[in-house]
Amino acid sequence: MVGIARNAAPSYDPGGTQVGPKVMLLDEFSASDGDIVAYRFKQHKLGPVVGKRSWGGVVGIRGTLPLLDGGYLNKPEFSRYDLEGKEWDHGGRRVEPDIYVENDPSKEFTAKTNS
């Protein structure tokens, strides 16, 4: 959105808006908010998503239940649904990249040391 006040120059709202081309980097460890931002990046067609398929865990947890062995149990408490209120928005679904890239640091290191 662009805002303007009387006798002032137009300004972007929010002020932190980044104008121009964008690329989202994604890997198999992206989850929760990382999954949500990649999903919405694709949904709003902001640019290509590059990397590997995300983990897909988006259901939020709050509060824990203690276990006798000293551990604890996290329980799912909240999620998101679509604007029409008809289905869950994204939860349990992974985000697929537009451009798949395998980035194995050990392979990268081996390739560089052998060349």
Side-chain angles (χ1 to χ4, degrees):
M1 175 185 293
V2 177
I4 188 166
R6 187 182 314 266
N7 300 320
S11 62
Y12 289 103
D13 181 19
T17 302
Q18 299 294 316
V19 181
K22 295 165 186 53
V23 173
M24 171 70 61
L25 299 178
L26 182 69
D27 69 16
E28 69 274 27
F29 303 111
S30 298
S32 194
D33 288 348
D35 238 318
I36 292 168
V37 73
Y39 171 77
R40 292 189 177 155
F41 191 88
K42 282 189 77 156
Q43 182 183 37
H44 294 287
K45 298 176 175 54
L46 296 177
V49 175
V50 177
K52 293 176 77 174
R53 181 178 66 186
S54 68
W55 179 64
V58 176
V59 175
I61 56 173
R62 177 176 42 214
T64 59
L65 300 173
L67 300 174
L68 291 174
D69 66 358
Y72 55 90
L73 173 72
N74 289 318
K75 54 187 176 160
E77 289 278 333
F78 52 92
S79 192
R80 289 141 192 89
Y81 54 88
D82 64 10
L83 293 174
E84 292 79 31
K86 295 184 179 183
E87 64 181 52
W88 293 110
D89 185 18
H90 175 246
R93 290 182 242 154
R94 298 172 176 185
V95 177
E96 294 287 341
D98 299 307
I99 302 168
Y100 184 86
V101 175
E102 174 71 42
N103 182 20
D104 183 336
S106 66
K107 288 181 184 175
E108 296 289 332
F109 178 78
T110 302
K112 287 180 182 176
T113 57
N114 290 334
S115 58

